[in-house]
């Protein structure tokens, strides 16, 4: 039993690099990977523009002076 385990361990230790090598050495990505990354970048870019517009409107609304109540059609409770 010990001999079998030791020989199995020696076999696995010696063949570790052969099992790890995939043989598919590629330095470039495929077209679909590039297309997917470009699509993700476009989604982020198109969501960024409306988000910045809303953020600018929020900041402008926070720091704007309050408008006069009569300009909004409120008569101050008188009818």
């Amino acid at each position: 039993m010990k001999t079998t385990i030791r020989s199995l361990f020696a076999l696995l230790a010696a063949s570790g690099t052969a099992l790890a090598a995939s043989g598919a050495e590629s330095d470039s990505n495929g077209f679909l990977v590039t297309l997917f990354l470009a699509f993700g970048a476009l989604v982020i870019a198109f969501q960024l523009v409306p988000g910045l517009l809303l953020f600018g409107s929020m900041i402008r609304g926070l720091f704007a002076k309050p408008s006069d109540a009569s300009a909004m059609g409120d008569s101050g409770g008188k009818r």
Side-chain angles (χ1 to χ4, degrees), residues 29-44:
N29 291 332
F31 178 69
L32 289 178
V33 173
T34 305
L35 190 65
F36 176 73
L37 292 175
F39 179 72
L42 282 175
V43 167
I44 291 172

Side-chain angles (χ1 to χ4, degrees), residues 24-72:
E25 298 290 328
S26 177
D27 291 337
S28 64
N29 291 332
F31 178 69
L32 289 178
V33 173
T34 305
L35 190 65
F36 176 73
L37 292 175
F39 179 72
L42 282 175
V43 167
I44 291 172
F46 284 136
Q47 291 294 320
L48 186 66
V49 172
L52 289 175
L53 289 174
L54 284 171
F55 183 71
S57 297
M58 181 188 69
I59 295 297
R60 189 174 353 139
L62 285 174
F63 293 110
K65 294 181 181 178
S67 61
D68 191 19
S70 62
M72 294 175 49

